[in-house]
Amino acid sequence: MSADRLVAFLQALIRTRSMPGEEAELTDRVVQEWHDLQFDEVRTDAAGNALAFVRGREPGPAWLLLTHLDHVSEGDASLWTHPPFEGVLEGDTVHGRGAVDIKGPLAAQTYALAALLARGERPRRDVWIAAVTQEEVGGEGAAHLVAHPPGEIGAVIVAEPSSNRLMLGHRGVAHVHVQLRGRAHHASLALHDQNPFFALGELLRRVQALTFEPHPVVGASSLTVTQVTHDSGSENLTPNTVTAVLDWRFSEEDAENRATLARLLRDLPTDAQLAPLWTAHNTPGFSTAPEHPLARLVAPYAAASQGDVGATPGVWKFATDGRYTHAAGWPTVGWGPGDEGLAHTTQERVSVPEMQAYATALADLLSRETF
């Protein structure tokens, strides 16, 4: 596998800005690369997802290699050591927005397949590779993909950054906007029962006291307050309303979450609701047991890509499109190059040797294994 071509492709991806809903130019660039690499079928779908197919040696359900096209904003570009959209190669590291989330993993999955074809080999089973839209804002592209599958899918590898560690899932994520009501009045009156900041204080106390039972794979849920806004325009005027945003990372079922929220808000001046499941403000996670055949199959290849035969699987803190493939009944694990701690930061970068190790191990997996 040519490191030069892998790096050049990654740099081209980074240099193509692709915010959610604005992925079309990047889709075209990915499709062009897959055509140039002579994948057997290359196309896009109605959601703007990029899809390609590489025919295997044996019949049966296909692998799905899954990444996405969009990235978050670069923020203040002056805070970056290297310009966020130049794809600077410094030593053996490529810098830029999307380097780990998720253009490095997309490039590595692409060149794992390219490496097989370049040496005249075919994967043992058919392989679909997909780069989908709007992952960063709820997963509209992945939702379309599982509703309109390109073929029979037998197993999914989600290549979000994991430092090449096998990942067994992640918790769900919900955002609840709690608007606490009061009555605006002059601060000198100090009417605490009409000041919604005191109701907010009680809400914060309850959130702090809340505990969850640990899930055997993805761990215990968490709930915290991330934003607080109010409608007072003066330092000597209390607000009519205070709104707090609750960030909820959960493993419980939806009905249990709704009951928990009801207890959390009981007797407070609010009627906040948890959004319906499978909307942008409430999506579940997924978990795959370490004993699952897919986890056992991928584990040694992930360990090889880490250079650690004793490596143990992990779970992601953040959400991925694996929630959609898992819910569709497609066995799903995670495995991708890049440090997840660098995602969405101004230090975002990815190691070229790590991408190469991943691509080599993934090519070996695809050439040897079935399920």
Side-chain angles (χ1 to χ4, degrees):
M1 178 186 59
S2 168
D4 291 343
R5 290 197 67 179
L6 171 62
V7 169
F9 181 44
L10 173 56
Q11 289 175 313
L13 298 178
I14 291 173
R15 291 166 183 165
T16 308
R17 186 180 173 91
S18 53
M19 292 288 288
E22 302 172 3
E23 301 99 336
E25 183 180 356
L26 187 66
T27 300
D28 291 343
R29 182 62 185 84
V30 171
V31 164
Q32 174 193 325
E33 192 81 8
W34 291 347
H35 274 301
D36 291 346
L37 293 170
Q38 299 184 334
F39 291 177
D40 294 311
E41 179 185 341
V42 181
R43 61 182 173 86
T44 60
D45 64 17
N49 300 326
L51 299 166
F53 174 74
V54 175
R55 188 177 61 259
R57 305 189 307 268
E58 299 177 3
W63 290 97
L64 173 65
L65 308 180
L66 182 63
T67 57
H68 58 90
L69 296 160
D70 56 323
H71 57 74
V72 298
S73 170
E74 73 279 16
D76 184 351
S78 70
L79 300 177
W80 289 73
T81 303
H82 300 283
F85 295 108
E86 289 189 8
V88 171
L89 175 63
E90 184 178 63
D92 61 4
T93 301
V94 180
H95 298 257
R97 173 56 79 226
V100 297
D101 188 12
I102 192 166
K103 295 175 179 183
L106 168 55
Q109 285 197 332
T110 293
Y111 273 85
L113 281 172
L116 280 179
L117 298 180
R119 60 184 188 235
E121 296 183 23
R122 288 273 167 183
R124 185 168 175 182
R125 283 286 181 88
D126 292 345
V127 178
W128 284 96
I129 182 169
V132 299
T133 57
Q134 301 196 56
E135 187 272 349
E136 297 288 358
V137 291
E140 182 175 319
H144 182 87
L145 179 67
V146 300
H148 305 86
E152 185 181 2
I153 303 300
V156 181
I157 296 175
V158 179
E160 293 279 356
S162 70
S163 298
N164 286 353
R165 186 183 188 188
L166 176 66
M167 305 300 262
L168 299 177
H170 56 76
R171 297 170 297 175
V173 56
H175 290 112
V176 184
H177 290 244
V178 180
Q179 187 181 79
L180 299 152
R181 298 182 299 271
R183 186 177 68 83
H185 57 274
H186 197 284
S188 64
L189 298 176
L191 303 176
H192 297 342
D193 61 331
Q194 296 181 23
N195 185 340
F197 274 114
F198 289 93
L200 173 65
E202 175 60 19
L203 174 64
L204 295 177
R205 186 195 65 76
R206 294 179 187 183
V207 167
Q208 188 175 30
L210 195 60
T211 59
F212 298 92
E213 291 296 320
H215 184 278
V217 175
V218 298
S221 299
S222 64
L223 181 67
T224 193
V225 179
T226 59
Q227 292 181 318
V228 175
T229 58
H230 59 81
D231 66 351
S232 172
S234 172
E235 292 184 356
N236 61 11
L237 178 70
T238 68
N240 286 295
T241 61
V242 171
T243 300
V245 178
L246 306 182
D247 181 290
W248 198 339
R249 307 292 166 138
F250 62 87
S251 57
E252 291 78 14
E253 295 295 327
D254 194 54
E256 185 174 349
N257 288 344
R258 294 182 186 280
T260 298
L261 182 62
R263 291 193 299 271
L264 192 66
L265 302 180
R266 183 175 297 144
D267 299 327
L268 293 179
T270 181
D271 52 5
Q273 299 294 321
L274 188 62
L277 200 60
W278 294 110
T279 60
H281 288 291
N282 186 7
T283 54
F286 81 92
S287 63
T288 298
E291 300 81 17
H292 190 282
L294 178 61
R296 289 185 177 275
L297 185 68
V298 176
Y301 294 92
S305 70
Q306 291 180 271
D308 181 1
V309 295
T312 57
V315 294
W316 280 304
K317 295 293 187 184
F318 54 78
T320 76
D321 280 335
R323 53 196 164 186
Y324 289 95
T325 57
H326 176 81
W330 303 346
T332 300
V333 294
W335 174 31
D339 179 354
E340 66 177 287
L342 297 174
H344 299 195
T345 73
T346 58
Q347 293 81 44
E348 192 170 357
R349 61 190 182 272
V350 67
S351 158
V352 175
E354 189 174 309
M355 288 193 295
Q356 289 181 286
Y358 175 85
T360 298
L362 178 58
D364 289 343
L365 168 69
L366 297 175
S367 69
R368 298 172 184 171
E369 303 294 353
T370 188
F371 38 79

